[in-house]
Amino acid sequence: MPLLAVNVDHVATVRQARLGQSPDPVAAAAMAELAGARALIVHLREDRRHIQDRDVRLLRQTIKTRLHLEMAATDEMRGIALELKPDMVCLVPEKRRELTTEGGLGVAGREKELAAFVAELADAGIPTSLFIDPDPHQIEASIAVGAAYVELHTGAYSDAATRETRQAELDRLLAAIPLARQAGLGVNLGHGLDYNNIYAFKDTSGISEYSIGHSIIARAIMTGITEAVSTMAAIVAGFPD
């Protein structure tokens, strides 16, 4: 049975809007575990726009399932990973001006560099996943690098504007899954998956993990806002005129 891995980055996004303490992604991660998440994901970006070092350290100490750390392949992030030893590292591309990760990691052409990076993590007992587009060349390069997993980027499928484009992107993903599996790679899916488009994979075998964040956090805001407002309204109603 595939795992649900919940990304809590956007809880931190709301917190950082005020540079305060609430909402706390560490608390959100604990609640996600109690609700059925089998892994928690955080992306520690170089610019620290949402998740902070404090968050990752507390998560490593407190979560009961698995901690997956998304990060760029930099010396700084390698040092953090080797110190904290997450249960998995997922290497992702990173641009300063992007709103969110815009595409898969270009592994092809960087095999030597990334192989050394992955090997050092593997020597420390940390398996590596590579966030890639569902492209045979990127899968071949991921094999050469020595990755344990690939996370296939589902963004083009999720964001497709027409039925024809969506089907074409789905076909690319469905072709890439067995290709990677046959090569001995574990396969995860992530980026833009929501409560509707995920059903396209309900009969698809060979997927180890679904990585989902934004749609879960967005739904949590809407499903929880009634209780949050009614509680505050009751408090205010008890104050004097």
Side-chain angles (χ1 to χ4, degrees):
M1 184 174 68
L3 306 182
L4 170 62
V6 175
N7 186 313
V8 295
D9 288 353
H10 290 295
V11 177
T13 298
V14 177
R15 178 193 62 192
Q16 295 307 111
R18 291 291 183 93
L19 298 178
Q21 298 181 356
S22 181
D24 189 345
V26 178
M31 296 172 72
E33 281 188 315
L34 290 173
R38 300 286 298 280
L40 281 303
I41 305 170
V42 287
H43 181 177
L44 185 64
R45 296 184 66 107
E46 292 182 88
D47 62 10
R48 306 302 200 270
R49 68 174 62 169
H50 41 55
I51 293 297
Q52 305 297 302
D53 296 67
R54 164 265 187 200
D55 302 327
V56 185
R57 295 180 190 283
L58 283 177
L59 285 167
R60 178 69 289 177
Q61 296 169 15
T62 58
I63 67 171
K64 307 302 182 185
T65 54
R66 296 171 55 83
L67 175 63
H68 294 180
L69 178 61
E70 293 183 346
M71 65 186 207
T74 66
D75 290 341
E76 180 197 19
M77 292 301 157
R78 174 173 51 203
I80 291 171
L82 291 173
E83 176 191 352
L84 295 181
K85 291 185 169 52
D87 296 290
M88 182 184 292
V89 158
C90 183
L91 297 181
V92 301
E94 198 170 293
K95 300 176 185 176
R96 290 277 179 171
R97 293 173 180 255
E98 66 187 357
L99 290 176
T100 185
T101 307
E102 295 175 347
L105 184 67
V107 181
R110 297 179 62 190
E111 289 91 344
K112 184 176 180 180
E113 168 202 352
L114 291 174
F117 199 100
V118 167
E120 189 168 356
L121 294 177
D123 288 344
I126 306 169
T128 299
S129 175
L130 303 179
F131 183 69
I132 62 171
D133 292 325
D135 181 292
H137 297 297
Q138 298 299 336
I139 292 173
E140 291 171 9
S142 300
I143 298 165
V145 163
Y149 291 82
V150 290
E151 181 175 329
L152 299 179
H153 180 224
T154 53
Y157 157 72
S158 300
D159 297 336
T162 68
R163 181 178 299 178
E164 293 75 18
T165 303
R166 186 178 302 109
Q167 185 61 52
E169 293 297 338
L170 177 60
D171 290 343
R172 288 182 69 205
L173 288 161
L174 295 179
I177 292 166
L179 185 64
R181 292 280 298 185
Q182 290 162 13
L185 293 166
V187 176
N188 303 329
L189 298 185
H191 202 83
L193 295 175
D194 62 28
Y195 293 86
N196 296 311
N197 62 31
I198 195 171
Y199 279 102
F201 303 99
K202 68 183 180 64
D203 296 319
T204 304
S205 60
I207 300 169
S208 298
E209 173 186 299
Y210 291 92
S211 171
I212 305 176
H214 184 268
S215 65
I216 290 176
I217 303 306
R219 187 181 182 96
I221 290 171
M222 301 308 292
T223 57
I225 198 165
T226 300
E227 186 278 333
V229 172
S230 64
T231 299
M232 184 60 75
I235 292 171
V236 171
F239 291 175
D241 293 336

